[in-house]
Amino acid sequence: MNVLYIYRHPDMGYSIGKVFKPVEEDMRKYAEVDALYLPVPNYSPKGLWRNIKAARTAIKNKKYDVVHITGTENYLIPFVKKAKIVVTVHDICFFTDYWPSIRALFKYVFFIRTLLFADVVTFISEKSRQETYRFVNLGKKGIVVDNPIGDDYKYCAKTFNAVCPAILHIGTKPNKNLVNTIEALKGFKCSLRIVGNVNADIIQRMNTYHIDYSVVNNLTDEQIIEEYKKCDIVNFPSLEEGFGMPIIEGQAIGRLVITSDRLPMRDVAGNGAIIVDPEDIVSIRRGYEEALKMYDEIVRHGLENVKRFCLEKITEQYFKIYQKTI
């Protein structure tokens, strides 16, 4: 079996590549695998056409049984039909955030309706599947396949600092809920570590509340793993996600995770996290207080939960999908 993985241009974000690169590598146990990174990092007419040409050239030069579009580049689907097409949808907020508008109509035609031409559409969560089906009915071709946790995320023992826990917060976009996090931490003795860019308002809030904080960004994957190892609590009370990788990454390292009572975070976390209302500052604060009392229990459940997302299981699931598709 010959499989081609198509990735968006790296400048458009590394998250999809971070998820699928381990699957691509592990799939080499079952099939002959190639990868194509698209040459243009934008959706201008010229950019779309150059990416389409690159994909068509790849499948023209070699016969593939399966072409797997790993995310977002759904406009390619009608142009690579010489092979069976599997496409993964992570979320559709790039479309729903602008609906209704002319911009959203463009995205609907090229990024949503084109899913009908795929042979199989996988979704990283039931939430993503349900949101997509609101706009296009894919029937039985839509399948939920969880994101995997990479083999480099391994358990690392650490003595919990109950006096002044180190809290790791990854991401500073509005949906990551950093503002409510800071409000909830007012008066709570801790060390807050933020991965991402923060604005002056955030810094002023933390200084006003006398929160001990530090900020880093542009970290490598290896450096991110080190951040997990150094922390006591992974803070992820997100307002909206397609999946929520920090949940299982924190669990795999052996850290207590705090996340939202919303889909898909609640399902991803299982019993291995403290669940809070992300819009209720009191609820988030209570989560930190519970962490001091329930640390060992929650970490133990998290280590058990993360077994569901092991790389080998997810790769095997994709391989069975490829076999059935061809």
Side-chain angles (χ1 to χ4, degrees):
M1 181 189 302
N2 293 327
V3 180
L4 174 66
Y5 287 94
I6 297 180
Y7 297 90
R8 63 187 181 181
H9 192 283
D11 287 352
M12 298 183 72
Y14 69 93
S15 57
I16 291 175
K18 181 180 178 181
V19 168
F20 264 97
K21 203 64 181 177
V23 174
E24 175 199 324
E25 295 298 329
D26 202 43
M27 188 62 68
R28 298 180 192 277
K29 297 185 302 188
Y30 303 100
E32 184 175 335
V33 174
D34 292 322
L36 170 67
Y37 285 84
L38 295 175
V40 181
N42 63 63
Y43 295 138
S44 66
K46 184 178 180 180
L48 291 173
W49 178 238
R50 284 184 59 191
N51 286 343
I52 290 169
K53 284 179 65 178
R56 287 174 64 86
T57 299
I59 65 171
K60 181 180 179 181
N61 291 339
K62 184 172 181 178
K63 185 182 186 305
Y64 291 102
D65 300 297
V66 175
V67 172
H68 190 154
I69 300 171
T70 59
T72 73
E73 310 305 292
N74 305 344
Y75 60 90
L76 296 173
I77 298 170
F79 300 97
V80 290
K81 286 298 290 179
K82 288 186 177 181
K84 295 293 184 180
I85 306 302
V86 176
V87 59
T88 296
V89 174
H90 298 259
D91 60 62
I92 60 168
C93 60
F94 66 87
F95 160 67
T96 55
D97 286 351
Y98 298 98
W99 182 263
S101 68
I102 296 298
R103 183 176 183 179
L105 181 61
F106 164 80
K107 291 178 179 291
Y108 176 74
V109 171
F110 288 95
F111 294 85
I112 304 297
R113 290 292 296 180
T114 47
L115 293 172
L116 290 167
F117 296 97
D119 295 286
V120 177
V121 180
T122 68
F123 298 89
I124 64 171
S125 67
E126 179 60 24
K127 173 178 177 286
S128 293
R129 191 191 74 83
Q130 291 178 7
E131 287 182 343
T132 303
Y133 272 59
R134 286 173 50 206
F135 298 96
V136 57
N137 188 349
L138 300 171
K140 295 182 179 180
K141 69 170 65 177
I143 304 170
V144 175
V145 181
D146 291 317
N147 281 340
I149 184 72
D151 290 337
D152 45 352
Y153 285 85
K154 300 181 186 300
Y155 174 74
C156 178
K158 181 182 186 298
T159 301
F160 178 58
N161 185 346
V163 177
C164 183
I167 298 177
L168 178 64
H169 183 97
I170 297 180
T172 54
K173 291 182 178 179
N175 65 299
K176 302 302 182 183
N177 209 17
L178 181 55
V179 171
N180 279 355
T181 289
I182 292 170
E183 293 294 328
L185 286 175
K186 182 179 180 180
F188 185 81
K189 188 173 178 57
C190 69
S191 175
L192 177 62
R193 180 73 157 175
I194 302 170
V195 178
N197 296 310
V198 297
N199 59 36
D201 176 66
I202 293 294
I203 293 174
Q204 183 178 356
R205 283 174 185 262
M206 292 188 292
N207 288 333
T208 300
Y209 297 157
H210 304 290
I211 295 173
D212 177 22
Y213 72 90
S214 58
V215 180
V216 289
N217 52 47
N218 298 321
L219 300 183
T220 64
D221 289 345
E222 292 76 15
Q223 289 171 325
I224 287 287
I225 292 172
E226 288 303 311
E227 293 295 334
Y228 280 115
K229 290 179 180 179
K230 290 186 289 187
C231 81
D232 295 295
I233 297 171
V234 176
N235 186 69
F236 199 70
S238 182
L239 298 170
E240 183 178 6
E241 295 290 332
F243 184 81
M245 287 300 294
I247 298 170
I248 59 174
E249 290 171 348
Q251 289 178 338
I253 297 289
R255 300 298 177 264
L256 184 142
V257 176
I258 294 175
T259 192
S260 302
D261 190 12
R262 291 186 178 182
L263 294 176
M265 287 81 79
R266 184 175 63 237
D267 285 352
V268 171
N271 294 324
I274 292 175
I275 305 298
V276 301
D277 181 347
E279 296 190 86
D280 186 343
I281 294 169
V282 173
S283 177
I284 299 173
R285 174 59 173 255
R286 190 178 300 122
Y288 301 137
E289 294 168 350
E290 290 177 3
L292 303 180
K293 307 171 186 176
M294 304 174 61
Y295 189 82
D296 291 337
E297 177 185 352
I298 297 297
V299 167
R300 185 171 63 253
H301 287 313
L303 289 168
E304 187 63 30
N305 177 70
V306 82
K307 293 177 182 178
R308 296 191 287 142
F309 307 97
C310 77
L311 178 61
E312 292 78 10
K313 287 184 179 180
I314 304 303
T315 303
E316 184 178 355
Q317 192 172 354
Y318 273 118
F319 180 64
K320 289 180 178 178
I321 289 171
Y322 299 162
Q323 284 183 312
K324 185 175 181 180
T325 302
I326 65 176

